[in-house]
Amino acid sequence: MDGTRRRLVVVGNGMVAAAFLEELVAGSDGFEVTVFGAEPHPAYDRIKLSSVLAGQCEPESLTMLDEDWYAAHGVTLRAGREVVAIDRERRMVRDCTGAETPYDVCVLATGSDPVVPPMDGTHRGGVHTFRTLRDVDDIIEAGQTSSSSVVIGGGLLGLEAAYGLRRRGVEVSVVHLMDRLMERQLDAVGARVLRGELERMGMRVVMPAETASILGNGRVEAIALRDGRVLDADLVVVACGIRPAAG
Ligand SMILES: Cc1cc2nc3c(=O)[nH]c(=O)nc-3n(C[C@H](O)[C@H](O)[C@H](O)COP(=O)(O)OP(=O)(O)OC[C@H]3O[C@@H](n4cnc5c(N)ncnc54)[C@H](O)[C@@H]3O)c2cc1C
């Protein structure tokens, strides 16, 4: 280490980390910077995952900072290296390989993880969340052979997943807990108009409906609703919100 520079460790390499790093290198060279990302890629624009799923852009176009950028700015990128512990006494982070990296300043930019409601069957093959490039790759691949899919969650993210699948020609049912779609953003009239548009695109909207369990033998074959209905599905996307990944 250069004895005059303080060591800065950034945990998380998402959109916020990318914006932070760009500002940091523009304003100061007083830090020796190491950034850890649990995902195996340089920072990318997560918002555009919906466009990738809908076939409107390529995954490569999402890159916010490419590997050359990190190298050019002297930032050490540890991609695919989740930080599993922070020892604040010793000022040290430990990553998933067991390696320890010392810091003077540690910035947490760990974002959020998808919420998967507690119910039977979420471990089955064909059940996906919608948060990462990996998720989108998996959903696209599953969609190629899917005859019927279910998206659990009729909020913004769920509807974007449903739209993407529909554009790929997959049969989609959206199962929503509430009695109107996107209830946080829309009033009853707006939600009714939206539902009509989705149905015109060929989506089925099932609500209010609570998913009780995900059925199947190894892979998902159907979902069971609390009211007793069963919907066939060989692909399920769970889009039930997010929680901070601060654990
Ligand atoms: C499909 C989709 C569409 C969206 N559309 C919109 C939109 O239209 N408008 C909008 O405002 N927002 C949208 N969002 C939300 C937006 O993407 C997030 O608000 C934004 O990505 C948050 O940035 P972040 O850096 O805080 O977290 P993230 O982008 O989640 O990045 C955090 C990173 O930290 C990593 N990480 C976590 N823990 C560790 C650890 N212990 N060690 C190492 N790395 C770790 C994670 O793997 C992740 O790569 C959308 C999200 C999705 C998934």
Side-chain angles (χ1 to χ4, degrees), residues 12-127:
N13 191 31
M15 298 184 73
V16 165
F20 170 71
L21 289 170
E22 279 186 309
E23 290 219 8
L24 184 79
V25 299
S28 147
D29 64 353
F31 288 103
E32 182 183 278
V33 184
T34 304
V35 53
F36 287 87
E39 294 181 72
H41 330 275
Y44 63 89
D45 183 344
R46 200 173 299 286
I47 292 172
K48 292 207 185 108
L49 286 176
S50 304
S51 305
V52 175
L53 182 56
Q56 293 164 328
C57 69
E58 294 301 316
E60 297 72 34
S61 69
L62 272 52
T63 303
M64 294 177 74
L65 305 176
D66 63 20
E67 282 169 15
D68 291 346
W69 184 94
Y70 295 86
H73 292 89
V75 174
T76 303
L77 172 62
R78 301 261 184 258
R81 298 266 285 269
E82 183 181 8
V83 169
V84 294
I86 301 175
D87 184 335
R88 293 175 65 187
E89 300 255 306
R90 293 166 58 231
R91 293 187 168 236
M92 199 77 87
V93 299
R94 190 170 78 246
D95 68 47
C96 55
T97 69
E100 291 192 316
T101 303
Y103 66 82
D104 297 301
V105 177
C106 180
V107 172
L108 299 183
T110 48
S112 302
D113 289 327
V115 171
V116 177
M119 60 184 149
D120 283 346
T122 53
H123 63 283
R124 294 194 195 290
V127 179

Side-chain angles (χ1 to χ4, degrees), residues 153-201:
L156 191 59
L157 207 61
L159 297 185
E160 288 190 355
Y163 175 74
L165 284 167
R166 192 68 204 117
R167 278 194 41 118
R168 288 177 181 273
V170 180
E171 293 291 317
V172 186
S173 297
V174 176
V175 172
H176 191 46
L177 192 58
M178 313 304 280
D179 62 1
R180 65 175 204 261
L181 295 168
M182 287 180 61
E183 72 283 352
R184 290 194 189 173
Q185 291 89 0
L186 298 179
D187 63 12
V189 176
R192 207 161 45 240
V193 171
L194 176 63
R195 178 180 187 159
E197 284 302 313
L198 298 178
E199 287 173 342
R200 254 187 293 285
M201 289 178 201

